[in-house]
Amino acid sequence: MRVVLLGPPGAGKGTQAQIIAGKLGVPAVSTGDIFRANVSGQTELGQKAKTYMDAGDLVPDEITVAMVRDRLAESDATGGFLLDGFPRTIAQAEQLRESLADLGHGLDRVLELVVDEDELVRRLSGRRMLVDGQMVQRDDDKPETVRHRLQVYREQTAPLSGFYEAEGLLSRIDAIGEVEEVTARAVDALGSVDGDEPSAG
Ligand code: ADP
């Protein structure tokens, strides 16, 4: 299955991506994780991406699209994947559609995790990650940067919801609740066919 997970920072995309990809037996491909790995590895890609990431801005499309194209060409992703954090602009979505079409493929479903903005700010300001055995705050989870990232999401990424809805690919998932509840809703949506919304309950 080829799935995109869409949703604002703090919606729980990373957590759900790992669990859902495991259930589907496909790799979870997170552009944020790939960028962060390149920043800590001090690669050329990491050096290019870092300034944008620290400011809470998007890394330019051409850098991001080339990186994702390379990743999706790796053997573990040829049979399917779950994308987390990509696409994030309409241009990225169009390029993804083209690269998949070149291979004779298309997306099977786009899941949008929906969480209201007050809850997002609460979650992001309390979020910590494990680095070298220590719980630290991501540089871009600082309050000013969080507000900026949410604004970038509203302006550049939120329009993807309508883009994929028009293609009949979108399922909106209520992402408030226990992790397992949200996973169950997502799995339910993946099971539904013909672009139908999953039935309630
Ligand atoms: P979050 O979803 O919590 O904002 P991510 O880990 O997905 O965080 O992304 C962190 C940062 O990496 C983004 O703020 C952005 O700078 C960069 N990034 C990740 N994915 C993309 C993308 N598809 N296009 C451009 N920049 C991206």
Side-chain angles (χ1 to χ4, degrees), residues 5 16 20 111 113 173 181-191:
L5 196 56
Q16 292 298 333
I20 298 166
L111 302 174
L113 298 183
I173 311 290
E181 291 170 346
V182 177
T183 305
R185 290 175 200 139
V187 168
D188 194 18
L190 291 174

Side-chain angles (χ1 to χ4, degrees), residues 9 13 31-32 36 53 57 59 85 88 92 127 138 149:
K13 284 195 307 295
T31 45
R36 277 186 290 278
M53 295 173 72
D57 286 322
V59 178
R88 243 184 175 87
Q92 290 179 11
R127 177 161 82 169
R138 251 169 63 175
R149 279 161 62 211

Side-chain angles (χ1 to χ4, degrees), residues 187-198:
V187 168
D188 194 18
L190 291 174
S192 69
V193 288
D194 299 336
D196 287 350
E197 289 298 308

Side-chain angles (χ1 to χ4, degrees), residues 3-196:
V3 178
V4 164
L5 196 56
L6 201 64
K13 284 195 307 295
T15 305
Q16 292 298 333
Q18 293 298 328
I19 303 173
I20 298 166
K23 287 181 187 288
L24 294 175
V26 298
V29 174
S30 157
T31 45
D33 285 352
I34 302 175
F35 280 134
R36 277 186 290 278
N38 277 278
V39 169
S40 32
Q42 299 184 337
T43 68
E44 203 184 322
L45 176 66
Q47 279 163 14
K48 281 187 203 156
K50 188 178 186 325
T51 331
Y52 300 101
M53 295 173 72
D54 286 348
D57 286 322
L58 295 184
V59 178
D61 284 343
E62 58 176 52
I63 298 176
T64 309
V65 165
M67 177 181 89
V68 171
R69 201 186 297 118
D70 289 349
R71 176 63 188 91
L72 295 186
E74 285 176 34
S75 58
D76 64 329
T78 52
F81 51 75
L82 189 148
L83 278 171
D84 158 19
F86 183 93
R88 243 184 175 87
T89 64
I90 297 279
Q92 290 179 11
E94 285 170 343
Q95 304 225 35
L96 174 64
R97 185 168 56 190
E98 272 177 42
S99 0
L100 290 177
D102 286 346
L103 300 164
H105 298 308
L107 290 174
D108 295 297
R109 181 125 315 255
V110 176
L111 302 174
E112 180 183 8
L113 298 183
V114 180
V115 177
D116 63 84
E117 207 164 305
D118 287 349
E119 172 69 12
L120 293 175
V121 174
R122 259 197 303 278
R123 288 186 187 181
L124 288 166
S125 43
R127 177 161 82 169
R128 297 293 183 274
M129 62 177 184
L130 197 61
V131 173
D132 297 333
Q134 281 190 308
M135 298 304 286
V136 298
Q137 184 168 42
R138 251 169 63 175
D139 284 342
D140 61 352
D141 278 350
K142 307 244 151 67
E144 326 76 72
T145 317
V146 161
R147 275 190 291 275
H148 182 63
R149 279 161 62 211
L150 289 171
Q151 184 193 347
V152 168
Y153 186 84
R154 272 196 303 274
E155 291 174 1
Q156 304 196 53
T157 308
L160 288 177
S161 183
F163 177 90
Y164 284 124
E165 188 167 36
E167 301 206 335
L169 288 172
L170 189 76
S171 292
R172 290 197 174 86
I173 311 290
D174 173 9
I176 304 267
E178 297 297 320
V179 169
E180 301 78 39
E181 291 170 346
V182 177
T183 305
R185 290 175 200 139
V187 168
D188 194 18
L190 291 174
S192 69
V193 288
D194 299 336
D196 287 350

